[in-house]
C-alpha cells in the first residue's frame, strides 16, 4: 500500500509539473507575441505605393552616408512561385560608418544578423500603403553599450528619412 501511495504521489507530481510547464510555455509564447509589437513599427504613408517607393529611394540617395544595398520585390518573387500578393518591397539599407563600428568589434558582431537595416513598403487589403521597420532603438536599448549607441543612431536616421512620408 505504501508503494502504491508513492507511485500515486509521483504521478501527481509529474502531472502538476507538466501542467505548470505547459502553462508557463503558453504564457511565454503569448507574452513574446505581444512584445513583438514593440519591436516593429508600422506607419501609413501619405502617398500611394509607387510614389512612396520613389520618394523613399530619392530621400535615401540624398541622405549622406546612407545607401540602398538591395531592393527585394516580394510581389514579383511570389508571382514567380505562382502566388499573387499585394505589392511589397523590402529595402536593405547601409550606413558604412555605423556598420563598421559593429563589424570591428568581436563582441558586438552577434547583432550582424540584424544588418543591414531593413525597411519595407507595402499595400494592405485596405488599399493603403504602409512603411514598416524594426524598432532597432528599442531592441538595442536592452543591449546597451556600443550596440545601443549605433543602432539608436541608425534608427533615428531612418525615422528622419521617412518622417515626411508618413501620416502623423
Amino acid at each position: 500500500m505504501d508503494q502504491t501511495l508513492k507511485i500515486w504521489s509521483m504521478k501527481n507530481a509529474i502531472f502538476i509539473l507538466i501542467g505548470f510547464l505547459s502553462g508557463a510555455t503558453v504564457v511565454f509564447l503569448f507574452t513574446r507575441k505581444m512584445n513583438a509589437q514593440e519591436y516593429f513599427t508600422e506607419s501609413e504613408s501619405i502617398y500611394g505605393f509607387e510614389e512612396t517607393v520613389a520618394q523613399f529611394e530619392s530621400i535615401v540617395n540624398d541622405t549622406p552616408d546612407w545607401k540602398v544595398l538591395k531592393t527585394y520585390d516580394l510581389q514579383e518573387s511570389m508571382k514567380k512561385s505562382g502566388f499573387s500578393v499585394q505589392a511589397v518591397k523590402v529595402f536593405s539599407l547601409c550606413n558604412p560608418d555605423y556598420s563598421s563600428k559593429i563589424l570591428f568589434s568581436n563582441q558586438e558582431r552577434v547583432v550582424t544578423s540584424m544588418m543591414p537595416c531593413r525597411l519595407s513598403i507595402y499595400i494592405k487589403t485596405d488599399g493603403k500603403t504602409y512603411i514598416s521597420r524594426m524598432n532597432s532603438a528599442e531592441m538595442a536599448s536592452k543591449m546597451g553599450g556600443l550596440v545601443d549607441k549605433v543602432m539608436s543612431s541608425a534608427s533615428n536616421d531612418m525615422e528622419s528619412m521617412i518622417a515626411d512620408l508618413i501620416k502623423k
Side-chain angles (χ1 to χ4, degrees), residues 22-115:
S22 297
T25 301
V26 168
V27 169
F28 173 77
L29 292 175
F30 180 73
T31 303
R32 296 300 299 167
K33 183 174 175 97
M34 295 295 287
N35 286 339
Q37 298 293 329
E38 72 184 273
Y39 294 118
F40 294 90
T41 303
E42 178 185 70
S43 304
E44 185 180 341
S45 175
I46 60 175
Y47 302 107
F49 179 77
E50 294 299 332
E51 181 67 16
T52 302
V53 168
Q55 290 281 336
F56 177 70
E57 290 174 331
S58 177
I59 290 167
V60 174
N61 288 333
D62 292 341
T63 303
D65 299 325
W66 281 94
K67 58 184 167 186
V68 175
L69 297 177
K70 182 134 176 94
T71 302
Y72 301 91
D73 185 336
L74 299 185
Q75 182 183 40
E76 190 59 35
S77 295
M78 295 301 290
K79 186 177 180 180
K80 290 177 184 175
S81 297
F83 297 96
S84 178
V85 299
Q86 294 274 14
V88 181
K89 288 196 177 180
V90 179
F91 299 88
S92 292
L93 307 168
C94 182
N95 178 319
D97 184 50
Y98 294 146
S99 300
S100 65
K101 289 178 172 83
I102 299 295
L103 294 171
F104 286 136
S105 173
N106 280 333
Q107 189 161 345
E108 278 74 21
R109 278 183 163 240
V110 69
V111 300
T112 57
S113 59
M114 292 175 30
M115 295 169 57

Side-chain angles (χ1 to χ4, degrees), residues 86-163:
Q86 294 274 14
V88 181
K89 288 196 177 180
V90 179
F91 299 88
S92 292
L93 307 168
C94 182
N95 178 319
D97 184 50
Y98 294 146
S99 300
S100 65
K101 289 178 172 83
I102 299 295
L103 294 171
F104 286 136
S105 173
N106 280 333
Q107 189 161 345
E108 278 74 21
R109 278 183 163 240
V110 69
V111 300
T112 57
S113 59
M114 292 175 30
M115 295 169 57
C117 296
R118 300 272 177 132
L119 178 138
S120 62
I121 299 173
Y122 49 88
I123 299 174
K124 290 171 98 174
T125 56
D126 62 7
K128 297 176 183 175
T129 299
Y130 294 86
I131 301 172
S132 173
R133 61 264 181 220
M134 273 197 272
N135 186 348
S136 51
E138 177 65 26
M139 286 186 233
S141 71
K142 294 177 180 12
M143 295 178 221
L146 178 65
V147 170
D148 185 14
K149 183 179 176 185
V150 170
M151 290 179 69
S152 292
S153 295
S155 179
N156 291 336
D157 284 2
M158 286 186 60
E159 291 302 313
S160 294
M161 284 188 268
I162 64 168

